[in-house]
Amino acid sequence: MPASIRKGAQGFLVWHSQNVPRTHALPDLVILCEQIDPSFSSLATAAAQVTPYGTAFRYPPIVVGLSDLDALEALDAARDARAFVLARLPSTVHP
């Protein structure tokens, strides 16, 4: 799910003719989006919460000890953030 948020934020930036950095750091993307739409500041906490899931299991060392509750909370935050981003893009570009 972090990838879909990342791609959504990157799509938002592209839609607004902005340069898009190659990054998995969602807080950095939120800051860039916030410069266009200040309401993106409401995603700061969710972006920080889900960013580790975008890379933790892809690149060694693999993070262990995450609880099911942590994962479910991050998934909920990711879904909310994705919906937030999509609401700010025309429906014609939705997945």
Side-chain angles (χ1 to χ4, degrees):
M1 201 54 119
S4 64
I5 298 171
R6 179 178 47 83
K7 290 179 186 220
Q10 289 173 330
F12 180 83
L13 292 170
V14 167
W15 185 257
H16 290 282
S17 302
Q18 300 299 305
N19 291 327
V20 179
R22 289 184 60 159
T23 183
H24 289 282
L26 297 177
D28 295 347
L29 291 173
V30 166
I31 289 168
L32 293 173
C33 292
E34 196 176 348
Q35 293 172 2
I36 299 165
D37 181 345
S39 67
F40 271 80
S41 65
S42 67
L43 291 183
T45 301
Q49 181 180 8
V50 301
T51 291
Y53 292 93
T55 58
F57 302 102
R58 280 175 112 155
Y59 309 109
I62 294 177
V63 176
V64 294
L66 298 173
S67 72
D68 289 346
L69 181 59
D70 290 337
L72 289 173
E73 287 176 355
L75 186 58
D76 284 343
R79 286 182 179 141
D80 292 346
R82 182 176 186 265
F84 177 92
V85 172
L86 288 176
R88 280 146 185 83
L89 291 169
S91 61
T92 55
V93 299
H94 288 197

